[in-house]
Amino acid sequence: MEQPQRGIRAAHSDTTITVYQAYSPHIGLPAVRDGRFPAAWKRDRMTWIKPSFLWMMYRCGWGTKEGQETVLAVEISRDGFEWALGHACLSSYVHGVHPDRASWQRQLKRAPARVQWDPERDLRLQPLPYRSLQLGLCGEAARRYADEWTVSIRDVTPLAHEIHALVNGGDLDSAARLLPEERPCPVQNGLLAHLSE
């Protein structure tokens, strides 16, 4: 089945969507234990959430990069996710989407969320011809994410390592069967109109 050039593919229900992040154990493990981000998690910094498991694996090297050894599956409310999209700005200037570069820069300064469309990845972490959403949260959006939208936090580091071992062993079929089931995630009509490139 042909994939749309840009789309939100994720594990989701009617009320929640799962996104991925990777942290050092001193952030990740307390977050899993308590089901919420600890006080040490900086709510005043930009944080990027990724609905794509494989894009997260590309970013964190299957949980092997320094400071990204604990891979988290964070289930958040769909309402919160859609609020972030509605208040987001593209992370880079796009001619034809923005009236001019100065307008985009003003919008970027005000927006509590940013969107990037990055190439989706396959099991070998090679780029695919379609793109997946990365959502950056700062200010109000980061605080809401950490303290209001989060429904649950799971440690999926063992899963990442198991899939990685299968890929390294050449057993892509078994690796694929372990992947989280990600499917197109519909959002409110028009919510992505200002975020296309």
Side-chain angles (χ1 to χ4, degrees), residues 6-194:
R6 286 174 186 79
I8 302 170
R9 285 168 291 277
H12 63 87
S13 70
D14 290 342
T15 57
T16 64
I17 180 170
T18 298
V19 296
Y20 299 94
Q21 294 195 288
Y23 290 101
S24 63
H26 90 276
I27 296 287
L29 296 180
V32 170
R33 182 191 66 222
D34 299 334
R36 64 185 310 260
F37 288 99
W41 190 87
K42 294 188 173 27
R43 285 152 173 80
D44 56 349
R45 287 178 53 186
M46 174 75 71
T47 190
W48 288 88
I49 59 176
K50 300 153 184 63
S52 164
F53 179 82
L54 284 174
W55 208 95
M56 184 71 255
M57 295 307 99
Y58 167 72
R59 181 71 181 83
C60 72
W62 298 98
T64 62
K65 290 186 180 176
E66 186 176 352
Q68 299 185 60
E69 302 92 341
T70 308
V71 184
L72 304 180
V74 184
E75 191 179 15
I76 63 172
S77 73
R78 286 281 288 272
D79 288 346
F81 183 74
E82 293 191 356
W83 183 93
L85 290 176
H87 289 82
C89 172
L90 286 171
S91 63
S92 56
Y93 169 72
V94 178
H95 179 73
V97 173
H98 306 104
D100 52 53
R101 191 171 290 276
S103 299
W104 165 73
Q105 286 173 329
R106 283 193 300 275
Q107 189 182 11
L108 191 66
K109 261 188 195 145
R110 290 192 310 265
R114 295 178 188 177
V115 161
Q116 283 182 196
W117 296 101
D118 292 314
E120 181 56 278
R121 300 285 158 166
D122 65 15
L123 275 164
R124 296 193 189 279
L125 306 185
Q126 296 303 303
L128 291 167
Y130 52 92
R131 293 176 176 263
S132 286
L133 177 96
Q134 319 305 320
L135 184 59
L137 307 173
C138 63
E140 181 182 2
R143 291 189 295 274
R144 286 182 173 214
Y145 168 68
D147 300 323
E148 296 174 25
W149 302 342
T150 298
V151 174
S152 70
I153 301 176
R154 291 180 293 117
D155 184 352
V156 291
T157 313
L159 176 65
H161 292 169
E162 185 178 1
I163 294 173
H164 188 209
L166 289 166
V167 171
N168 281 344
D171 190 352
L172 298 185
D173 289 341
S174 294
R177 283 194 289 273
L178 292 178
L179 288 173
E181 185 189 342
E182 294 173 1
R183 60 193 199 284
C185 181
V187 294
Q188 292 175 31
N189 281 344
L191 204 53
L192 296 177
H194 67 297

